[in-house]
Amino acid sequence: MNPVEHLWAPCTKALTSVYLPSTLPGEDQPPCRQRITEQEKMQKEHTIFDAAMRDIRDVHWRHLSFSGKRVLVIAEPSGGEQQPYGADYYYVKATIGGSARTLGGSTIDEEYTFIHPHMDRRHPPSMTEFFLPSSFTSTQGHFVTFAEDLQVNSVPPCQHMPLFQEKGLGWCNRDGCRYVFTSKKDVNDHRLKFHTFGFSPTN
């Protein structure tokens, strides 16, 4: 349900068996094993790390895509001024936390529309499907597979989650959308920010 975790799957797959050098060109030992000052060691480590990040960006993740979209890879310089998630962090945070009108007129509206279906979407399986297998009606003694049972959608998403039961807010009733509401504010935010601008999960 976490879009970052979903993205890491193709990212890590693209780095399978990739070796990133821990030394500078012409050196046979990494900085941590050299008899140099702490400042020199840090400078060399920054240089090695930056080279590795450029290699990942320009070679291994150059043509990386996720859910049909090209992944934009940005390498933040090592040792620079720290930003939580890059220079755009505070702008993105304020825009998403603002009004639907603000989001709709922002530069990240397209990206938000793309990533929103990957956020807080709960699907079956559920406890019922794990422990109560369904039988074929046409073939006695045979059961439907787990994948086939999921297609039936007989159990509402998150039915057995304590938070879902406690809140009692349900989920979005738009066709193809399974967004689960976690607060009353979330109900309004979801409908205004996600469905107001013409997005349809079935498009």
Side-chain angles (χ1 to χ4, degrees), residues 123-132 146 150 155-160:
H123 300 270
S126 71
M127 298 296 289
T128 301
E129 288 167 329
F130 271 122
F131 296 108
L132 297 177
F146 181 66
L150 291 181
V155 179
C158 297
Q159 175 175 303
H160 300 283

Side-chain angles (χ1 to χ4, degrees), residues 101-116:
R101 186 179 300 277
T102 298
L103 178 62
S106 70
T107 59
I108 64 169
D109 180 49
E110 182 179 354
E111 289 83 355
Y112 181 82
T113 301
F114 162 71
I115 203 171
H116 196 284

